[in-house]
Amino acid sequence: MSTPLTVSEDELVLLTDLYQLTMTQAYWKEAMAERATFSLFFRRLPPTRRFMLACGQQHAAALIPRLRFGEAELAQLAATGLFEAAFLDWLGEWRFSGEIRTLPEGTPVFADEPLLEVDAPIAEAQLLESLLMNLVQLETLLASKAVRLVIAARGRPVVDFGLRRMHGIDAAVRGVRAYRSAGLEGTSNVLGGLRHDLPLRGTMAHSYILAHDAEAEAFAAFARHYPNTTLLVDTHDTLAGVDQVIALLAAEPELSVAAIRLDSGDLGALARGARRRLDAAGHGDVKIIAGSGLDEWQIADLVAEGAPIDGFGVGTQLGVSADAPVIDLSYKLVAYAGRPRVKHSPGKINLPGPKQVYRRRDAEGRPIGDTLARHDETGIEGEPLLVPLVRDGRIDDALMTLADSARERVTAALAALPGPLRRLEPRAGPEDDYPVTLSPGLARLRRKVG
Amino acid sequence: MSTPLTVSEDELVLLTDLYQLTMTQAYWKEAMAERATFSLFFRRLPPTRRFMLACGQQHAAALIPRLRFGEAELAQLAATGLFEAAFLDWLGEWRFSGEIRTLPEGTPVFADEPLLEVDAPIAEAQLLESLLMNLVQLETLLASKAVRLVIAARGRPVVDFGLRRMHGIDAAVRGVRAYRSAGLEGTSNVLGGLRHDLPLRGTMAHSYILAHDAEAEAFAAFARHYPNTTLLVDTHDTLAGVDQVIALLAAEPELSVAAIRLDSGDLGALARGARRRLDAAGHGDVKIIAGSGLDEWQIADLVAEGAPIDGFGVGTQLGVSADAPVIDLSYKLVAYAGRPRVKHSPGKINLPGPKQVYRRRDAEGRPIGDTLARHDETGIEGEPLLVPLVRDGRIDDALMTLADSARERVTAALAALPGPLRRLEPRAGPEDDYPVTLSPGLARLRRKVG
């Protein structure tokens, strides 16, 4: 009676918009099999952001060579009555044969810069649109929010507690991959952390305290079960809860408590009160963790006021990227049959042709500006960022390992991030914009085709 | 090299916060096996909303009796070093043995009203927290947003085009279930629509137009492939695009076009211009569809100004519930071992004890107020809304069929929705609040325990 809750990898070929399949059949019927290039980019940064962290594009691209239309999926398509038997046979035989160029996971990215380009016979490239957009947006959104929390915490560990607030199963699991790339220290999410190799962290819930007849009894029981645990002190009265922890450690000196967790009230004031009490009792080694419901602004304020908080747990605001829950991603045809193409609707201008992004750096390795160029243009200064991850339908395993080093790359990128990009405040004007300019070749092409 | 993108149903037992498992082990070690009641509710409506549509709670509850800790999951837990072998054996044998009471899918719900209550030995009820919250929030969020679009469109069909903007795979697929319940007419999402029985709809993308040498050529090819199709007219100039459609129908009268789609610009003015041109050419039967990027406010404005738009496609704003991307859901212990429990932290008050929601209606069946009562209280006026869907760990199949009729129930509920709840504007003050009062028994209990 009840429909399934999960989606298998076999079914992902159907996670598409109907028009991708009808257009693909149209290309097939019209024998339009020339190569096309589609470019995945966003037109504008969210108003509250100075950069996005491109994430998920290599994770998604690595799936593409595995995609198959199996019997079950073809039967479901046949039942719609929209597709010819010969076209469904073609779909059943289809394997991706093209090239996918991507930014490395965890690359800071700006408006108009491709996160990914697909170069393939047009039907194949068209077919991937909806799935790639869905997959890439999620990880990019969550990594881009997470990195702001990391910046705000100025070296204090930030841990994800947001599973319950995220949009469903896939968001919660792949989100942890994005968080890992962005530099979070841990997650409460068991499946996400185990799969994506981020350390598991956990404390206790109010329900555990309330199920016991007294807070002190709950603290004692939990600390006996779990050496070096974290105790949640705000169920009744936060500072009285801290006193219970101190009393417990006095009564049972063989117990160890690694940290207390503050979860409500004026976190700065409570942290100072808790720190004074703990220090006075000789527990300078017991750390103070604060969360959840925090955003990057509250973390920055707590850090600025010198609140003695050793780590932050974040949930709601991170888990849905609350200030920017969506990116204005586009996947646009930029070339077909060797000719650049572009759409002209008022207010929207797309840059024609396959592209490359070149990033220039100063002597310290700090990015100072990007040039958006034609893919085949030479002599552009800077490091070319788009790398071919899939060629002739096959993954380049050597390049795929890049995806695994996203965390290290983001750490290095953050250290080298120019000051204006590290600020949490929205861009105030063009002086806050990271400079992205068009190469001479792309500027010429745009004038010609645009 | 690349980690999987999908999650199997077997893995869902690990989609939890670490502390649920450590607390469960603590309850097990302490032999705390008395029954507990946990209540899933939200403390506040989002500021922009007058009600939420409870959705997903029966879908999620139906999963619970199927949950098992399999060998692979137990091995992963063992590897964390946090769990005793005897506890893992207990987990391996564990089957949910309790009761889950839920609101029927698609019930309008207000602050403090349980969407779901779990009544089970405390370890079992604790174990479900994170998963239930994650699963229920998603469908409730999306159904609650979708119903606003349906209200705004005043009878014109609303179709989901948002797959690409949603937060990952699960959001996109289960989202369609929520949209169906909320009354959307169709979806572009193939997997979501096929699985959750919402008709598939689709048009064409700009890329198809651009891949052809001329717009007219693309229109002709697509219309020949697909009788009664919808043509996208805004690639170059919307009204010139409409003229191309008219010219095509004049040149090839055997072709049929069901609709044109406007996708950019001043939709009201363009719809009027398109309608005039189509009518003058004798194509009064060709409909006009507008999208995407629309929210309920823009739809309401277009409807109010009398724009000749026959249907709306919605994407971004719907797919992430942009004005309220998160609900402040809580899953709180309200009773243990037969005694009501409650948390006292400042600023947060929970109502103790298991509950029932009674909805009173006027002679026309219009809801006029709810009473939140103790679960065991008698003599309360109105219809009791929470129904036991899982009993002694087994699903009540007769009640499960309720979930399948959510769409019909929401349609009826919308028709009967009191005027103030149908308004899109945020609540201005208490006069806009739907009345939810406490029963005498619950008020007494709150004074005693609170």
Side-chain angles (χ1 to χ4, degrees):
Chain A
M1 198 56 75
S2 147
T3 45
L5 279 160
T6 56
V7 172
S8 70
E9 191 171 300
D10 285 351
E11 292 175 295
L12 290 182
V13 282
L14 296 185
L15 190 62
T16 189
D17 291 302
L18 181 65
Y19 73 7
Q20 311 294 2
L21 291 165
T22 52
M23 287 190 288
T24 297
Q25 178 172 257
Y27 293 134
W28 172 84
K29 286 164 75 97
E30 295 166 55
M32 290 174 67
E34 302 261 18
R35 282 181 94 80
T37 303
F38 281 78
S39 190
L40 182 72
F41 63 96
F42 53 84
R43 289 203 170 82
R44 283 172 292 279
L45 281 168
T48 51
R49 303 301 180 86
R50 290 169 177 240
F51 69 98
M52 298 297 276
L53 212 53
C55 206
Q57 66 278 2
Q58 294 193 323
H59 198 195
L63 166 76
I64 303 305
R66 301 201 301 267
L67 289 179
R68 306 281 183 270
F69 285 85
E71 298 281 325
E73 288 70 36
L74 292 171
Q76 289 190 281
L77 291 180
T80 66
L82 289 167
F83 304 101
E84 297 180 10
F87 172 68
L88 294 175
D89 289 344
W90 180 87
L91 270 190
E93 296 296 317
W94 171 74
R95 308 288 180 265
F96 182 69
S97 72
E99 172 166 309
I100 307 181
R101 299 179 289 271
T102 64
L103 297 182
E105 298 277 339
T107 303
V109 62
F110 304 91
D112 294 324
E113 297 183 341
L115 283 75
L116 170 157
E117 287 195 338
V118 177
D119 202 275
I122 189 164
E124 298 189 34
Q126 183 77 64
L127 209 45
L128 306 179
E129 174 172 12
S130 312
L131 182 61
L132 281 175
M133 290 180 77
N134 175 281
L135 293 177
V136 175
Q137 176 185 262
L138 176 73
E139 293 188 41
T140 293
L141 264 182
L142 295 176
S144 301
K145 182 68 171 179
V147 81
R148 289 171 62 82
L149 300 163
V150 171
I151 289 172
R154 293 181 171 264
R156 290 161 192 79
V158 179
V159 172
D160 158 44
F161 289 164
L163 154 60
R164 65 189 62 191
R165 305 297 192 198
M166 300 178 79
H167 286 195
I169 298 164
D170 180 42
V173 177
R174 278 198 298 128
V176 175
R177 184 178 187 276
Y179 297 158
R180 181 183 186 280
S181 296
L184 261 53
E185 294 281 331
T187 179
S188 64
N189 177 337
V190 178
L191 181 59
L194 291 174
R195 183 180 281 189
H196 295 299
D197 194 23
L198 192 63
L200 301 184
R201 297 277 180 265
T203 59
M204 66 203 311
H206 298 117
S207 53
Y208 182 80
I209 309 283
L210 293 170
H212 289 76
D213 290 325
E215 189 179 45
E217 193 184 299
F219 285 171
F222 211 72
R224 286 180 208 133
H225 301 319
Y226 301 108
N228 291 307
T229 193
T230 299
L231 297 175
L232 177 66
V233 293
D234 78 326
T235 304
H236 302 299
D237 175 293
T238 298
L239 295 180
V242 175
D243 291 337
Q244 301 274 14
V245 174
I246 292 168
L248 172 65
L249 290 172
E252 301 188 40
E254 69 283 7
L255 295 180
S256 61
V257 171
I260 59 165
R261 176 173 164 210
L262 315 177
D263 193 45
S264 54
D266 177 342
L267 296 175
L270 291 171
R272 279 187 292 275
R275 186 74 275 157
R276 273 195 302 269
R277 279 167 153 82
L278 288 167
D279 289 350
H283 298 301
D285 58 328
V286 174
K287 292 191 176 348
I288 299 177
I289 308 296
S292 47
L294 293 173
D295 63 17
E296 60 269 44
W297 297 99
Q298 291 165 287
I299 291 177
D301 286 347
L302 288 166
V303 168
E305 77 178 64
I309 295 173
D310 301 289
F312 297 98
V314 291
T316 305
Q317 298 291 320
L318 170 63
V320 299
S321 179
D323 65 308
V326 70
I327 320 171
D328 179 33
L329 275 182
S330 294
Y331 179 86
K332 290 293 172 193
L333 179 75
V334 294
Y336 179 61
R339 285 166 47 196
R341 308 273 166 146
V342 76
K343 178 175 174 295
H344 295 275
S345 285
K348 294 181 183 174
I349 294 169
N350 296 315
L351 298 167
K355 292 172 201 71
Q356 180 56 283
V357 182
Y358 292 89
R359 183 152 293 170
R360 296 186 307 284
R361 297 177 189 277
D362 66 14
E364 281 81 48
R366 228 179 294 275
I368 51 176
D370 292 356
T371 305
L372 204 48
R374 293 177 58 148
H375 182 64
D376 57 3
E377 209 168 343
T378 54
I380 309 294
E381 192 191 345
E383 178 196 2
L385 298 182
L386 288 162
V387 291
L389 187 73
V390 175
R391 270 194 276 221
D392 298 327
R394 279 190 301 276
I395 290 190
D396 184 326
D397 281 325
L399 287 170
M400 193 59 210
T401 60
L402 275 176
D404 295 328
S405 63
R407 186 185 177 85
E408 291 67 36
R409 204 153 352 84
V410 171
T411 304
L414 277 191
L417 214 56
L421 292 187
R422 293 184 61 86
R423 297 185 57 193
L424 299 177
E425 293 76 15
R427 287 161 291 133
E431 71 280 9
D432 282 336
D433 283 343
Y434 177 83
V436 178
T437 51
L438 301 191
S439 71
L442 186 58
R444 265 196 309 277
L445 184 67
R446 183 187 177 180
R447 281 194 300 274
K448 208 173 92 187
V449 181
Chain B
M1 198 58 74
S2 147
T3 44
L5 278 160
T6 55
V7 171
S8 70
E9 191 172 299
D10 286 350
E11 293 175 294
L12 290 183
V13 282
L14 297 185
L15 190 62
T16 189
D17 291 301
L18 181 64
Y19 74 6
Q20 313 293 2
L21 291 165
T22 52
M23 287 190 287
T24 297
Q25 179 172 255
Y27 293 134
W28 172 83
K29 285 165 76 96
E30 296 166 54
M32 290 175 66
E34 302 261 18
R35 282 181 93 83
T37 303
F38 282 77
S39 189
L40 183 73
F41 63 97
F42 52 83
R43 288 203 170 81
R44 283 171 292 278
L45 282 167
T48 51
R49 303 302 180 85
R50 293 172 175 238
F51 69 98
M52 299 296 277
L53 214 53
C55 206
Q57 65 278 6
Q58 296 193 321
H59 197 196
L63 165 74
I64 303 305
R66 301 201 300 269
L67 289 180
R68 304 282 184 269
F69 285 84
E71 297 282 326
E73 288 69 36
L74 292 171
Q76 289 190 279
L77 291 181
T80 65
L82 289 166
F83 304 102
E84 297 180 11
F87 172 68
L88 294 174
D89 289 344
W90 179 86
L91 270 189
E93 296 296 317
W94 172 75
R95 308 290 180 264
F96 181 70
S97 72
E99 172 165 311
I100 307 181
R101 299 180 289 272
T102 65
L103 297 182
E105 298 276 339
T107 304
V109 62
F110 305 91
D112 295 323
E113 296 183 342
L115 284 75
L116 170 158
E117 286 195 337
V118 178
D119 200 277
I122 189 165
E124 298 190 35
Q126 183 78 63
L127 209 46
L128 306 180
E129 173 173 12
S130 312
L131 182 61
L132 281 176
M133 290 179 77
N134 174 282
L135 294 176
V136 174
Q137 175 184 262
L138 176 73
E139 293 188 41
T140 294
L141 264 182
L142 295 175
S144 301
K145 182 68 171 181
V147 81
R148 289 170 63 82
L149 300 162
V150 170
I151 290 172
R154 294 179 171 265
R156 290 160 191 81
V158 178
V159 171
D160 158 44
F161 290 163
L163 154 59
R164 64 190 62 191
R165 304 297 191 200
M166 299 176 81
H167 285 197
I169 299 164
D170 180 42
V173 177
R174 278 197 299 130
V176 174
R177 183 178 187 277
Y179 298 159
R180 181 180 186 281
S181 296
L184 261 54
E185 294 280 332
T187 180
S188 63
N189 178 337
V190 177
L191 181 58
L194 290 174
R195 182 181 281 190
H196 294 298
D197 194 24
L198 192 64
L200 300 183
R201 297 277 181 263
T203 59
M204 65 202 312
H206 299 116
S207 53
Y208 182 82
I209 309 285
L210 293 169
H212 290 76
D213 290 324
E215 188 179 46
E217 193 184 296
F219 286 170
F222 211 73
R224 285 180 207 129
H225 301 318
Y226 301 108
N228 292 307
T229 194
T230 299
L231 297 175
L232 176 66
V233 293
D234 77 327
T235 304
H236 303 299
D237 174 292
T238 298
L239 295 180
V242 175
D243 290 338
Q244 299 274 14
V245 174
I246 292 168
L248 172 65
L249 290 172
E252 302 188 41
E254 69 283 8
L255 295 182
S256 60
V257 171
I260 59 164
R261 175 173 163 210
L262 314 177
D263 193 45
S264 55
D266 177 341
L267 296 175
L270 291 171
R272 280 187 292 274
R275 186 75 275 158
R276 273 196 301 270
R277 280 166 153 83
L278 288 166
D279 288 350
H283 299 301
D285 57 329
V286 174
K287 291 191 174 352
I288 299 176
I289 307 296
S292 49
L294 293 174
D295 63 17
E296 60 269 46
W297 298 99
Q298 291 165 289
I299 291 176
D301 286 347
L302 288 165
V303 168
E305 75 177 68
I309 295 173
D310 302 289
F312 297 97
V314 290
T316 304
Q317 297 291 319
L318 170 62
V320 299
S321 180
D323 66 309
V326 71
I327 319 172
D328 179 32
L329 274 184
S330 294
Y331 180 84
K332 291 293 172 194
L333 179 75
V334 294
Y336 179 61
R339 286 167 43 196
R341 309 269 167 149
V342 76
K343 177 173 175 295
H344 295 273
S345 286
K348 294 182 183 176
I349 295 169
N350 296 316
L351 298 167
K355 293 174 198 69
Q356 180 56 282
V357 182
Y358 292 89
R359 183 152 294 170
R360 296 186 307 283
R361 298 175 187 279
D362 66 13
E364 281 82 46
R366 228 178 295 274
I368 51 175
D370 291 357
T371 305
L372 204 49
R374 293 176 58 149
H375 182 64
D376 57 1
E377 209 168 344
T378 54
I380 309 293
E381 192 190 347
E383 178 196 1
L385 299 182
L386 288 162
V387 291
L389 187 72
V390 175
R391 269 194 277 221
D392 299 327
R394 279 190 301 278
I395 289 189
D396 184 325
D397 282 326
L399 287 170
M400 193 60 212
T401 60
L402 274 176
D404 295 328
S405 62
R407 185 184 177 86
E408 292 65 36
R409 205 154 350 88
V410 171
T411 305
L414 277 191
L417 214 56
L421 292 186
R422 293 184 61 86
R423 296 183 59 191
L424 300 177
E425 292 77 13
R427 287 161 291 133
E431 71 279 11
D432 282 336
D433 283 342
Y434 178 82
V436 178
T437 51
L438 301 191
S439 70
L442 186 57
R444 263 197 309 276
L445 185 67
R446 182 186 178 180
R447 279 194 302 274
K448 207 172 90 186
V449 183

